[in-house]
Amino acid sequence: MLTVINPQKEEETTDSFNSFLHLLGSSVSLKGWDKFKGGLDVKSNATGTESVYTVYEGHEIMFHVSTLLPISKENMQQVERKRHIGNDIVNIVFYECDKVDSTTFKPSMMKTRFTHIFAVVVYCKQDNSYRLVVFSEESVPLFGPPLPSPPTFYDHQEFRDFLLVKLINGEKAAINNPLFAQKRERTLEMLIKNLYQVYMSEINKNNMLYRRAFSDVIQDVQSSRKEEARRAEFVRVGQTLKLKTILKGDAPTSTVTTGILKRE
């Protein structure tokens, strides 16, 4: 989320922008934050000490606010700030003006491969209203809700609901773009591989059988079945021979062979 003030200094903000942030969500301390963090650092305050967070219709949202992200004096390119704002699919650009039609924002001002939707929010001091203009890449399918005509909101709570729904739907529509689809597939593939490795390592600790190849297990099963069949055949043949011996009277259980002399 960016704010435009003329003239603007680094980290400068206004009461109107702060009111807009308060309208969107709650200010939260990042250190120790245990909910959705949106890629922000919650251990060492490397991405600032605070941010703006909200939950809308089951969607957790952590805003990347330009005035809350730290500025590095050593890094003139401000890579850390660009890493978050520049990689967001949807960006909000906040203007504050005295008249409604005093903005001249152009998406070409922002050089980014990932941001596909710009929501330009114009706060007009004159009548305490918000005006919304949405720019999107041609590859992004149409998404609702449609902007009213004129796209001016005097009810601030109504504007909040409309803006959040519009941005959530816009991000979902943009994700179908081939650029994000390929990245999503690679991410899912990496997650599945990682889950498989973790799962198999746990199984290997608990059961040595899973360390063997599946083909080896099949061979062992087949070998055990052959051994059982061979034993059963030996028992059958042995019982047959014993039966023949008994019938001939040569078996130890026969009364004919219990004497000293053996029958020929």
Side-chain angles (χ1 to χ4, degrees), residues 41-251:
D41 178 53
V42 296
K43 295 182 179 179
S44 59
N45 289 334
T47 55
T49 59
E50 296 181 346
S51 190
V52 178
Y53 169 86
T54 191
V55 179
Y56 187 82
E57 296 295 335
H59 295 81
E60 288 187 279
I61 304 172
M62 178 67 80
F63 293 94
H64 297 154
V65 185
S66 60
T67 56
L68 298 179
L69 291 171
I71 292 179
S72 174
K73 295 181 179 180
E74 292 78 16
N75 188 349
M76 299 302 296
Q77 295 294 325
Q78 304 300 329
V79 176
E80 187 64 28
R81 302 181 101 196
K82 292 179 180 179
R83 184 168 69 89
H84 295 288
I85 297 178
N87 288 333
D88 287 335
I89 298 176
V90 179
N91 253 315
I92 300 175
V93 181
F94 180 85
Y95 275 89
E96 180 181 340
C97 60
D98 295 325
K99 295 182 180 180
V100 174
D101 297 324
S102 61
T103 61
T104 57
F105 175 81
K106 295 180 180 179
S108 58
M109 297 177 181
M110 309 291 293
K111 293 184 178 180
T112 171
R113 292 182 56 197
F114 294 96
T115 301
H116 280 52
I117 298 171
F118 288 98
V120 181
V121 176
V122 182
Y123 174 71
C124 182
K125 296 179 181 179
Q126 192 175 36
D127 56 4
N128 191 30
S129 66
Y130 287 103
R131 183 180 178 88
L132 178 63
V133 181
V134 179
F135 299 91
S136 61
E137 290 278 353
E138 293 181 355
S139 59
V140 178
L142 293 176
F143 56 93
L147 290 173
S149 181
T152 304
F153 298 83
Y154 298 96
D155 186 329
H156 292 184
Q157 188 61 43
E158 179 187 359
F159 172 67
R160 175 187 184 270
D161 294 340
F162 184 92
L163 178 63
L164 292 180
V165 172
K166 186 72 172 177
L167 299 184
I168 290 172
N169 290 344
E171 180 165 334
K172 291 180 178 180
I175 286 179
N176 294 325
N177 184 286
L179 174 65
F180 298 112
Q182 294 175 2
K183 291 182 177 294
R184 187 170 66 253
E185 289 178 1
R186 287 200 299 267
T187 302
L188 288 175
E189 183 179 355
M190 292 175 61
L191 289 173
I192 292 173
K193 286 183 178 179
N194 183 58
L195 288 174
Y196 173 79
Q197 292 174 355
V198 172
Y199 178 73
M200 291 305 296
S201 64
E202 290 296 327
I203 289 180
N204 291 339
K205 291 179 182 178
N206 299 329
N207 194 340
M208 295 294 293
L209 177 63
Y210 286 89
R211 292 187 178 181
R212 303 164 62 190
F214 184 69
S215 58
D216 294 339
V217 176
I218 294 297
Q219 291 177 1
D220 286 350
V221 172
Q222 293 176 347
S223 299
S224 62
R225 289 178 178 175
K226 289 181 180 179
E227 183 66 22
E228 291 177 0
R230 187 172 62 177
R231 290 179 181 177
E233 183 65 17
F234 285 160
V235 171
R236 187 186 67 79
V237 173
Q239 289 177 344
T240 302
L241 293 175
K242 182 177 180 181
L243 179 60
K244 290 181 179 180
T245 303
I246 292 174
L247 293 176
K248 290 171 60 179
D250 294 335

